[in-house]
Amino acid sequence: MSGAFQIQLFTQSANAAVGWRMLSGNNREAGRGVDRFADESRCRSAVAMLQADTMSLYPRVRRSTSRLWTWEIQVDGRLIATAPHAFDRMIRCEQSAAQFLTNFARAGVGLALVHAGSRRR
């Protein structure tokens, strides 16, 4: 399924809160949710609700330092996702935010909950 974006649910340990991130087809992070959830089920529900209402997602590009740019996604003024890293050019940052918005609604959600300790670094 090369080229397809996917949502990965992850946790730091068995009893830790669950978060999500969107990965590109080559497994690079394309954006990360800011909220953490008590369990996998609540995280899946939150992602499904966001994917069902992508028209409410609002991108905001801003400077993160004097030389770098970042983006964030908001719903009704509430921050829900952030860029995977800072960008050296505003246009690259804008393109990354647009790519996130374009692919988020149709990204599949992974079946497995990934434990951060098991990911390659």
Side-chain angles (χ1 to χ4, degrees), residues 7-23:
I7 304 293
Q8 180 185 70
L9 305 184
F10 66 90
T11 185
Q12 297 294 322
S13 67
N15 297 323
V18 178
W20 64 268
R21 66 187 190 149
M22 189 168 78
L23 301 175

Side-chain angles (χ1 to χ4, degrees), residues 46-120:
V47 169
M49 286 176 35
L50 290 170
Q51 286 182 309
D53 191 22
T54 57
M55 296 303 289
S56 296
L57 302 182
Y58 173 76
R60 181 177 155 221
V61 172
R62 62 177 178 80
R63 283 202 180 266
S64 61
T65 68
S66 64
R67 294 188 175 139
L68 297 174
W69 295 85
T70 191
W71 58 258
E72 56 192 33
I73 305 295
Q74 299 178 356
V75 173
D76 297 327
R78 187 177 70 81
L79 182 63
I80 60 114
T82 59
H85 55 80
F87 297 86
D88 63 342
R89 303 270 192 264
M90 185 172 112
I91 187 70
R92 291 181 186 154
C93 188
E94 290 171 336
Q95 290 168 341
S96 174
Q99 181 181 54
F100 178 91
L101 289 172
T102 298
N103 292 287
F104 181 72
R106 63 178 180 251
V109 180
L111 299 176
L113 177 62
V114 175
H115 293 273
S118 66
R119 289 190 323 204
R120 290 188 324 185

Side-chain angles (χ1 to χ4, degrees), residues 22-52:
M22 189 168 78
L23 301 175
S24 66
N26 62 358
N27 284 328
R28 290 186 186 237
E29 189 170 322
R32 179 178 293 250
V34 297
D35 293 328
R36 297 296 177 259
F37 302 89
D39 57 41
E40 181 181 351
S41 176
R42 290 180 188 176
C43 187
R44 284 184 188 282
S45 294
V47 169
M49 286 176 35
L50 290 170
Q51 286 182 309

